[in-house]
């Protein structure tokens, strides 16, 4: 069975950089698309971006130049980096597998992030 | 980006009642996905490519629609169906989600 597990800090100060990692078992990140999605308090979802089987990336334009998604194929992990965080980045962050013609079929349990001084 | 508007935001239904919720897109999309979210759980894929039930989803669920108008229907409400349902599109970038319909058991 495919499993995804997010890891990272639960609290980050404003203006700092958020780094989260998604560890994948049961599938290889060298196949398919691997995504980051977040859910704000109040339960609105926002798509952040993906990294593909070949290492190509796509980012939501709303995040402008603040976001970066990288991967470590040797450990079957991929990571999210979000720079210059604000309180508006407080959310639960999920890593998921899925692409345009396939649903987000496997999700991590989500990691709750608070941005506060 | 394509905005998805779900209605109603909140609804309640009795066991056995038929339930219909809608997802309206700001521009035409080729298909819609639906997800079920319950408290303290991650979203579960529920309906993909507009009308196909994900594995394990009861046959009382169905999805339909085209263009800018899509719907999810439960033919006969069961207690376990109480949850929040989200629609999602990836016809245009970025992928977007609706704000959800919270379905409660009356």
């Amino acid at each position: 069975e495919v499993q995804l597990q997010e890891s990272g800090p639960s609290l980050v100060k404003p203006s700092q950089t958020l780094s989260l990692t998604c560890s994948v078992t049961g599938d290889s990140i060298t196949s398919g698309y691997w995504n980051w999605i977040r859910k704000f308090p109040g339960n609105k979802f926002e798509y952040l971006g993906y990294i593909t089987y070949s290492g190509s990336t796509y980012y939501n334009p709303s995040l402008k130049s603040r976001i970066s998604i990288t991967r470590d194929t040797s450990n079957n992990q991929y990571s999210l980096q979000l720079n210059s965080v604000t309180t508006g980045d407080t959310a639960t962050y999920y890593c998921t597998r899925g692409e345009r013609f396939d649903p987000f079929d496997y999700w991590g349990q989500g990691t709750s992030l608070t941005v506060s001084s | 980006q394509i905005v998805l508007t779900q209605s109603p935001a909140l609804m309640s239904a009795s066991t056995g009642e038929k339930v219909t919720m809608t997802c309206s897109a700001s521009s035409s999309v080729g298909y819609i996905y639906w997800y079920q979210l319950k408290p303290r759980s991650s979203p579960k894929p529920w309906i993909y490519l507009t009308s196909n039930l994900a594995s394990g989803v009861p046959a009382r669920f169905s999805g339909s629609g085209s263009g800018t108008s899509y719907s999810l229907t439960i033919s006969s409400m069961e207690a376990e169906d109480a949850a929040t349902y989200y629609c999602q599109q990836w016809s245009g970038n970025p992928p977007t989600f609706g704000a959800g319909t919270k379905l409660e058991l009356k």
Side-chain angles (χ1 to χ4, degrees):
Chain A
E1 183 186 3
V2 179
Q3 293 187 327
L4 295 86
Q5 177 69 58
E6 304 90 350
S7 59
S10 59
L11 179 65
V12 175
K13 292 183 179 352
S15 80
Q16 291 187 337
T17 295
L18 164 68
S19 293
L20 298 176
T21 295
C22 182
S23 299
V24 179
T25 58
D27 196 1
S28 171
I29 65 169
T30 59
S31 67
Y33 285 46
W34 302 90
N35 309 269
W36 287 99
I37 294 170
R38 63 185 177 181
K39 181 167 69 74
F40 296 107
N43 294 327
K44 176 184 175 183
F45 284 92
E46 180 179 46
Y47 183 83
L48 303 182
Y50 64 67
I51 188 164
T52 74
Y53 55 93
S54 64
S56 299
T57 55
Y58 167 81
Y59 304 130
N60 190 326
S62 70
L63 297 163
K64 298 180 182 179
S65 59
R66 294 201 297 136
I67 186 174
S68 175
I69 299 175
T70 58
R71 65 177 185 167
D72 177 358
T73 57
S74 62
N75 288 307
N76 213 39
Q77 297 175 330
Y78 66 107
S79 297
L80 169 72
Q81 183 171 294
L82 191 62
N83 302 322
S84 304
V85 298
T86 70
T87 57
D89 294 311
T90 293
T92 298
Y93 287 74
Y94 295 95
C95 54
T96 77
R97 187 185 79 169
E99 56 190 281
R100 186 178 291 270
F101 295 108
D102 283 313
F104 300 121
D105 55 357
Y106 291 98
W107 296 64
Q109 65 183 25
T111 185
S112 180
L113 172 78
T114 300
V115 179
S116 175
S117 55
Chain B
Q1 66 178 32
I2 296 174
V3 176
L4 299 179
T5 302
Q6 291 188 244
S7 62
L10 175 65
M11 65 187 305
S12 62
S14 302
T15 301
E17 187 176 346
K18 182 178 180 179
V19 172
T20 298
M21 60 188 71
T22 65
C23 176
S24 176
S26 59
S27 57
S28 183
V29 297
Y31 51 88
I32 282 287
Y33 297 113
W34 293 90
Y35 298 85
Q36 181 195 67
L37 180 62
K38 291 188 174 183
R40 295 171 295 283
S41 293
S42 299
K44 294 180 180 178
W46 213 246
I47 297 174
Y48 62 97
L49 297 176
T50 302
S51 59
N52 300 281
L53 301 185
S55 176
V57 174
R60 60 182 178 272
F61 284 85
S62 64
S64 64
S66 65
T68 61
S69 182
Y70 293 82
S71 63
L72 180 156
T73 298
I74 307 172
S75 60
S76 178
M77 174 76 178
E78 298 284 340
E80 66 181 12
D81 301 336
T84 304
Y85 294 87
Y86 292 87
C87 60
Q88 177 245 321
Q89 68 79 28
W90 203 340
S91 287
N93 276 327
T96 52
F97 291 81
T101 291
K102 186 175 183 179
L103 173 61
E104 297 178 337
L105 182 65
K106 191 181 296 182

